Amino acid sequence: MNTFRNLVRADRNFNILAVLTLAVVVTMVAVLGDRFLSGSNMQSMATQIAEFGLLALAMGLAMLTGGIDLSIVAAAVLSAIVCAKFLSGDILTITDSNSGLVMGVAILAALVTGVLCGLLNGLLIAKFSIPPILATLGTFILFTGVGMVITNGQSVAVALPAFANIGIATFASIPMIFLIMCVAFAGLAFFLKYTRNGRRIFLYGENSVALRFSGARNERLILVTYAVIGLLVGIAAIIMTSRVNSARVGFGDSYLLQAILVVVLAGFDPYGGRGRVGSLFLSLFMLQSLQSAFTIMRLDPYMKTFIWGAMLLTVMVANHILNQQSAKRPVAALPPQAVPKARENVGVQK
Amino acid sequence: MEKYLSAIILAYIVIVAVKNPLFFSPETLFDMIRSGSGVMLLALGVLLVLVSGGIDVSFTAVAIVSSYLSVLTILNLGIDNVILASIIAIAIGTGLGAINALLIHYLKLPTLIVTLGTMSVFHGLMAVLFGTKSYPLGQMPDSLANFGSANLFTVNTESGRYGLTVFLPIVVAAVVGIWFMLNRTLLGRSVYAIGSDEESASRLGISILKVKLFVYCTTGGLAGLMGIIYFSELKYVNPTSLVGTELMVIAAVVIGGAKLTGGEGTVLGTILGVVTVQLFDKTLVFLGLSSSWNDLFFGSVLLASLMVMYRRQRLADRRNLVFVAS
């Protein structure tokens, strides 16, 4: 019993989220029944979640460092445009024999574009000390501008039908792109937990000055972090292109607000240093359940906007109240075995 | 920062003028003033928020919500008066601003995320409760439409008649008012003080809540007034427009030297920032470039000025062995 209590206390945020998700899913099943549980709904949920999940993961990584990335959607759209350009036959002529090669080049081009976009952000933040929110505001406008100049505001169509298979393909009736997203989540969770740079990201978010004095190379860390963000964005762009079969400026604008919502909902501290990939996965799942329920119920898009905003504010108010309560609780009241544990994990855990 | 930006603007004007002499006409100038008026009002609000150390993305939603509700009110009351419409819009905008201020003050969370939430709540709630019916020229209040085309005076040229809009005195009054407040009153200096260091400001005896209420209410009020001007200028009341352009306005103010870390920013810089946006918006055609190039130019200038601004700060910090959490 004691261990259970400690477990609950250890990560309250995660537990609240798990209960909340369960409540949402149970309500959905109770209200919508088979329409929610049906295989086709599950499959469409898994398909829709993929590209958005990757963008949310990228946003979460930026928030762990105490930053924010306003340019993720713009960078994803730019990468998708580059990808679609290669697939449209404008740059490389497509014949029957080289379609595989063209697809490979297009995928590589999207990834490279994503990473370059991320590196530019990292460079501005690390080498020029521009606050992340301003640097990414600038690159958001710049990436949109580059996309506009390339496409003239038109949509770029994919001329290679085989490319759409990426978005449709399933493995044991689970959509392939959902599996790609899961791999990205698992990979990032591993990176954050077991690699040196991963642990340092948490410390950077908690106290970057302390990290600098501990001898770490802060600037390189930020460059690496934003390059990883760019890589995630590039993967999202490939999924986006294959699902829509075209790319244009302005696609997915609503993702930015939703990505921030999901990350804050998952208990990431916007000031940096706290956040769990597992929580992010849960909150993503919860939001997608709500989203598909809204679709089944044919809800007004503005009603959705309102609900997202209200949820964001509610979560923040709730977090604020909870944090105040835990701050009031006297330290002596903690169970004795919890104290050394807390000391051991200072600045890095949770 | 202002000098650097002025140099860019001058260089750009010279290039455009050499390339296309048509640029120097009252038509271009009057057109830019007319379409820049609304943005200028929003930018003044953003400047206040940035100086106080915050960032607000809800002001476009506040502008649309307050002015749309005000238009609905005067349509239902049957009183077709633009002054009444403006007063209602400013009042609603101020109220919404107060909600922002209270949330920001009590939650102590990043203002970006709080206002992102209120933006969706304000706009979503308005659309759900009052609908999103738009009113074209024939159906919107006549006084608004007339206000939009009213001119201080008109100039006759070979290509037609061009008037200087009545928005100009309103904007000038707002600019002078904000400048005076920021630089010559205790309240204005308190805004700079809480932006530089909230803790120190509070120990000086400044009421943080009062200053924040003032900052966000003024921003809301300006946004409300801007909404009326916006609808009048377009001669089309559309409650789904404008929201989504807030980052561009913030960028315009940032280009003018206001720092997100608070405590820095001038009215002159803000004016120059808005002029830069308007120049790229209106004059790229004179260079033979389509409007697709707007964002590319603007993004590059924004990043360049950010780089200059923060590089200087960084070098100064290194020299003084200041290790800020960056």
Side-chain angles (χ1 to χ4, degrees):
Chain A
M1 198 59 215
N2 234 341
T3 35
F4 177 71
R5 197 178 297 151
N6 283 344
L7 196 73
V8 172
R9 270 206 195 133
D11 199 341
R12 200 182 42 202
N13 225 317
F14 184 81
N15 295 308
I16 293 174
L17 193 68
V19 172
L20 216 64
T21 313
L22 201 68
V24 166
V25 172
V26 168
T27 320
M28 292 298 137
V29 173
V31 175
L32 298 166
D34 282 349
R35 276 191 295 171
F36 182 75
L37 275 179
S38 69
S40 64
N41 185 49
M42 283 294 154
Q43 224 171 38
S44 78
M45 263 174 67
T47 315
Q48 285 162 17
I49 215 171
E51 66 197 47
F52 174 60
L54 287 165
L55 291 176
L57 194 59
M59 180 64 86
L61 191 54
M63 250 184 216
L64 280 182
T65 65
I68 194 167
D69 194 339
L70 298 176
S71 73
I72 44 169
V73 176
V77 166
L78 180 61
S79 311
I81 285 170
V82 171
C83 184
K85 263 287 179 213
F86 275 101
L87 293 166
S88 68
D90 284 358
I91 300 172
L92 301 168
T93 35
I94 302 169
T95 58
D96 286 340
S97 55
N98 75 350
S99 63
L101 182 73
V102 170
M103 266 164 63
V105 170
I107 288 173
L108 198 67
L111 293 178
V112 168
T113 313
V115 171
L116 284 179
C117 289
L119 276 176
L120 178 61
N121 281 329
L123 195 75
L124 291 169
I125 295 164
K127 297 285 176 193
F128 288 89
S129 301
I130 304 177
I133 182 171
L134 289 187
T136 55
L137 170 64
T139 51
F140 157 75
I141 297 172
L142 185 75
F143 297 157
T144 312
V146 175
M148 276 300 276
V149 169
I150 295 177
T151 63
N152 239 326
Q154 309 288 314
S155 132
V156 183
V158 172
L160 203 64
F163 195 71
N165 287 339
I166 298 176
I168 304 166
T170 56
F171 179 78
S173 75
I174 304 168
M176 193 68 96
I177 50 176
F178 181 69
L179 293 176
I180 295 175
M181 187 197 86
C182 290
V183 169
F185 267 76
L188 201 68
F190 180 85
F191 169 68
L192 287 175
K193 192 149 189 162
Y194 295 108
T195 68
R196 197 172 53 174
N197 274 339
R199 301 310 302 169
R200 281 180 175 170
I201 287 176
F202 285 95
L203 185 52
Y204 183 91
E206 194 76 43
N207 190 338
S208 62
V209 180
L211 181 63
R212 181 186 295 281
F213 283 131
S214 79
R217 281 190 264 182
N218 275 9
E219 293 175 1
R220 208 176 60 178
L221 181 71
I222 285 300
L223 275 175
V224 169
T225 310
Y226 279 87
V228 172
I229 291 175
L231 184 67
L232 292 169
V233 162
I235 303 172
I238 294 165
I239 295 176
M240 217 185 228
T241 319
S242 76
R243 247 165 42 80
V244 192
N245 239 331
S246 66
R248 68 174 168 82
V249 173
F251 183 83
D253 275 349
S254 62
Y255 281 159
L256 187 60
L257 167 68
Q258 285 181 31
I260 296 175
L261 168 66
V262 164
V263 173
V264 173
L265 200 64
F268 281 62
D269 184 350
Y271 289 119
R274 272 150 229 259
R276 282 178 52 163
V277 174
S279 306
L280 188 57
F281 195 83
L282 264 185
S283 82
L284 200 61
F285 179 68
M286 182 170 91
L287 218 71
Q288 187 57 44
S289 310
L290 281 175
Q291 181 88 297
S292 67
F294 291 165
T295 316
I296 296 174
M297 294 189 292
R298 299 220 174 83
L299 221 58
D300 178 17
Y302 286 102
M303 191 70 197
K304 277 194 222 170
T305 318
F306 168 66
I307 292 177
W308 295 150
M311 267 174 80
L312 188 61
L313 288 179
T314 316
V315 168
M316 284 190 302
V317 173
N319 275 347
H320 178 69
I321 294 170
L322 285 173
N323 284 340
Q324 265 191 339
Q325 271 178 356
S326 63
K328 270 181 204 152
R329 191 190 299 152
V331 179
L334 280 174
Q337 67 270 50
V339 177
K341 201 169 190 182
R343 192 173 294 148
E344 181 183 295
N345 294 331
V346 156
V348 227
Q349 193 61 55
K350 213 180 134 200
Chain B
M1 213 52 223
E2 284 100 4
K3 277 182 216 149
Y4 161 78
L5 198 58
S6 314
I8 291 188
I9 293 174
L10 270 179
Y12 179 78
I13 289 178
V14 168
I15 293 171
V16 177
V18 167
K19 193 108 196 250
N20 195 334
L22 277 178
F23 171 68
F24 278 116
S25 66
E27 182 192 351
T28 316
L29 184 66
F30 290 177
D31 190 32
M32 273 176 55
I33 290 174
R34 183 184 298 275
S35 62
S37 299
V39 182
M40 192 63 223
L41 288 180
L42 289 181
L44 284 173
V46 173
L47 172 70
L48 273 181
V49 175
L50 286 180
V51 168
S52 80
I55 186 166
D56 183 351
V57 290
S58 69
F59 57 88
T60 49
V62 170
I64 287 295
V65 170
S66 46
S67 53
Y68 185 66
L69 292 184
S70 141
V71 168
L72 287 185
T73 313
I74 64 165
L75 277 176
N76 281 325
L77 287 177
I79 308 168
D80 196 351
N81 185 322
V82 70
I83 295 175
L84 179 67
S86 308
I87 291 172
I88 297 173
I90 291 173
I92 298 175
T94 311
L96 295 178
I99 296 177
N100 272 338
L102 293 175
L103 281 174
I104 287 165
H105 183 72
Y106 286 112
L107 292 185
K108 305 229 173 346
L109 275 167
T111 50
L112 171 78
I113 296 172
V114 174
T115 52
L116 210 53
T118 55
M119 171 182 90
S120 312
V121 168
F122 293 160
H123 198 225
L125 199 60
M126 178 209 77
V128 170
L129 293 181
F130 300 98
T132 50
K133 186 179 183 305
S134 55
Y135 297 91
L137 186 53
Q139 293 168 23
M140 72 185 278
D142 290 333
S143 61
L144 254 68
N146 294 336
F147 178 55
S149 39
N151 290 317
L152 288 177
F153 60 86
T154 52
V155 177
N156 290 308
T157 61
E158 308 94 77
S159 47
R161 288 178 49 158
Y162 301 103
L164 185 61
T165 169
V166 286
F167 301 156
L168 186 63
I170 301 173
V171 173
V172 169
V175 166
V176 172
I178 296 285
W179 177 86
F180 184 82
M181 192 279 305
L182 273 179
N183 295 293
R184 292 287 181 272
T185 67
L186 192 60
L187 187 61
R189 301 322 289 174
S190 322
V191 177
Y192 279 99
I194 71 164
S196 302
D197 191 337
E198 213 171 291
E199 185 62 37
S200 317
S202 126
R203 291 191 186 190
L204 274 175
I206 296 170
S207 162
I208 307 290
L209 176 63
K210 274 186 199 153
V211 176
K212 283 200 174 156
L213 268 175
F214 166 75
V215 166
Y216 288 91
C217 288
T218 312
T219 306
L222 284 169
L225 180 61
M226 183 275 176
I228 295 292
I229 287 187
Y230 177 75
F231 285 154
S232 307
E233 190 223 335
L234 281 182
K235 301 200 171 50
Y236 184 54
V237 179
N238 179 5
T240 58
S241 57
L242 198 66
V243 177
T245 59
E246 53 278 338
L247 289 181
M248 289 305 271
V249 182
I250 295 174
V253 181
V254 168
I255 234 182
K259 271 194 182 160
L260 200 67
T261 34
E264 269 177 77
T266 60
V267 173
L268 179 63
T270 307
I271 297 173
L272 291 175
V274 173
V275 168
T276 314
V277 180
Q278 285 297 313
L279 270 179
F280 287 147
D281 219 31
K282 295 283 165 200
T283 62
L284 280 179
V285 273
F286 290 108
L287 289 177
L289 291 170
S290 75
S291 59
S292 303
W293 289 78
N294 276 356
D295 284 349
L296 184 63
F297 270 76
F298 185 55
S300 314
V301 173
L302 173 61
L303 282 179
S305 63
L306 281 175
M307 277 152 85
V308 171
M309 204 154 86
Y310 282 95
R311 179 91 189 161
R312 200 186 294 159
Q313 172 87 48
R314 178 186 161 103
L315 294 177
D317 281 350
R318 286 284 150 89
R319 250 197 325 277
N320 303 328
L321 292 179
V322 173
F323 291 92
V324 282
S326 64

